Amino acid sequence: DTGEALLKVSNIEVIYNSVILVLKGVSLAVPKGGITALLGGNGAGKTTTLKSISNLLRSERGEVTKGQIMYRGEQIYGLSPSELVKRGVVQVMEGRHCFEHLTVEENLLTGSYTRGASRGEIDADLNMVYDYFPRLKERRRSQAGYTSGGEQQMVAIGRALMARPEMILLDEPSMGLAPQLVEQIFEIVKSLNENEGLTFLLAEQNTNVALRYSHYGYILESGRVVMDGPAKDLRENPDVKEFYLGMS
Ligand code: ATP
């Protein structure tokens, strides 16, 4: 489904520390109900793009100095994380960021906090998360810091789901995970997209897996979009094959 754009980023520039220009006019559109991939190598600007959308740049002395970020046709730049959650936008940060001293279930519960949901709704959401991640149900009483990297990635996504989002910004879900686990995580993303209608914008260095699971892709290089298109076209593109899929 490639309905209207839920999120539209137009020509944004981002500067760190008032001097370092990192995004040099990035534009992208994320259709409702789609999985959109933001691709590119280390330092291309993927994380910066996601953080521009979710307003997480300030703590890193970064600032959007130009351009527009529209969600459902409304400017969202500068909204607090809790305001964004209320509108349906949640980010899963790179490196997973669990609360290590809390249990898996307590971590998940922190995700429903901004929603002001009733106990019944929260229980229903927990069960939904456990349906998608049976492993988390088995581990629910374990301290998150002692779970594996794959489980922590599941906790991070599960916690985002507890906010009942419409769109998830997912930063580098494959990072540090064995290939089999990467596949498992992407399968779950795919079923969340298909069954719950969740929209994803995901940043990935793993071009191969990202293009197999997404509908559309943008390739960033040094803070610019150098190529974009339907995932299946990008997979067949000779330049993408040579430079990003390691086949030539
Ligand atoms: P990665 O996969 O490594 O996260 P990326 O594509 O997500 O790469 P960004 O993290 O967005 O890239 O970084 C883009 C550029 O911005 C890099 O050159 C990086 O060094 C620079 N950068 C990132 N954060 C800061 C910061 N807080 N201050 C200054 N420069 C930064």
Side-chain angles (χ1 to χ4, degrees):
D1 175 25
T2 50
E4 86 272 26
L6 195 55
L7 172 75
K8 209 161 183 237
V9 172
S10 311
N11 207 25
I12 56 167
E13 274 187 11
V14 170
I15 295 180
Y16 282 113
N17 295 309
S18 312
V19 286
I20 312 162
L21 178 64
V22 165
L23 296 190
K24 303 160 186 168
V26 168
S27 298
L28 55 93
V30 178
K32 189 169 162 52
I35 302 177
T36 303
L38 205 50
L39 307 165
N42 220 323
K46 304 179 298 295
T47 298
T48 301
T49 303
L50 293 188
K51 287 187 171 173
S52 305
I53 299 163
S54 54
N55 196 20
L56 293 173
L57 286 177
R58 190 137 308 174
S59 58
E60 306 193 33
R61 302 185 37 88
E63 202 185 347
V64 178
T65 52
K66 226 188 204 179
Q68 282 196 321
I69 301 172
M70 310 287 280
Y71 191 78
R72 293 180 160 283
E74 288 172 32
Q75 183 80 246
I76 57 165
Y77 179 63
L79 293 186
S80 70
S82 68
E83 285 170 305
L84 285 167
V85 169
K86 280 185 194 136
R87 291 187 193 219
V89 183
V90 174
Q91 174 152 358
V92 177
M93 290 206 276
E94 185 176 50
R96 309 187 265 273
H97 296 278
C98 290
F99 298 106
E100 295 187 358
H101 301 289
L102 300 184
T103 65
V104 164
E105 186 155 297
E106 286 163 350
N107 265 276
L108 295 176
L109 290 171
T110 63
S112 55
Y113 178 69
T114 43
R115 217 155 56 80
S118 69
R119 187 68 227 187
E121 288 172 304
I122 291 171
D123 283 342
D125 291 350
L126 260 183
N127 286 328
M128 181 263 297
V129 171
Y130 289 145
D131 283 346
Y132 282 97
F133 298 101
R135 184 66 189 150
L136 294 186
K137 189 170 188 176
E138 291 166 24
R139 301 287 267 145
R140 68 187 190 278
R141 308 267 171 248
S142 306
Q143 200 175 314
Y146 291 109
T147 62
S148 71
E151 287 160 357
Q152 288 183 24
Q153 181 65 72
M154 292 176 192
V155 170
I157 297 173
R159 190 174 62 200
L161 291 174
M162 293 296 290
R164 285 263 160 195
E166 183 175 41
M167 172 158 118
I168 294 188
L169 307 169
L170 190 53
D171 199 358
E172 210 84 51
S174 78
M175 194 169 135
L177 301 185
Q180 216 184 334
L181 262 171
V182 171
E183 219 62 46
Q184 207 181 320
I185 298 281
F186 272 86
E187 281 295 332
I188 292 165
V189 165
K190 184 181 170 193
S191 57
L192 285 166
N193 171 254
E194 288 175 357
N195 304 333
E196 313 290 330
L198 258 175
T199 300
F200 284 90
L201 175 59
L202 56 93
E204 255 306 336
Q205 283 200 46
N206 188 334
T207 311
N208 180 4
V209 74
L211 285 180
R212 276 191 289 112
Y213 285 95
S214 53
H215 304 113
Y216 200 91
Y218 290 87
I219 300 180
L220 282 178
E221 267 176 30
S222 315
R224 288 195 174 86
V225 174
V226 291
M227 205 187 292
D228 67 286
K232 63 174 180 322
D233 295 353
L234 292 178
R235 279 203 306 265
E236 298 305 319
N237 182 290
D239 290 335
V240 176
K241 280 186 175 171
E242 182 174 351
F243 297 111
Y244 292 99
L245 295 172
M247 309 180 238
S248 56

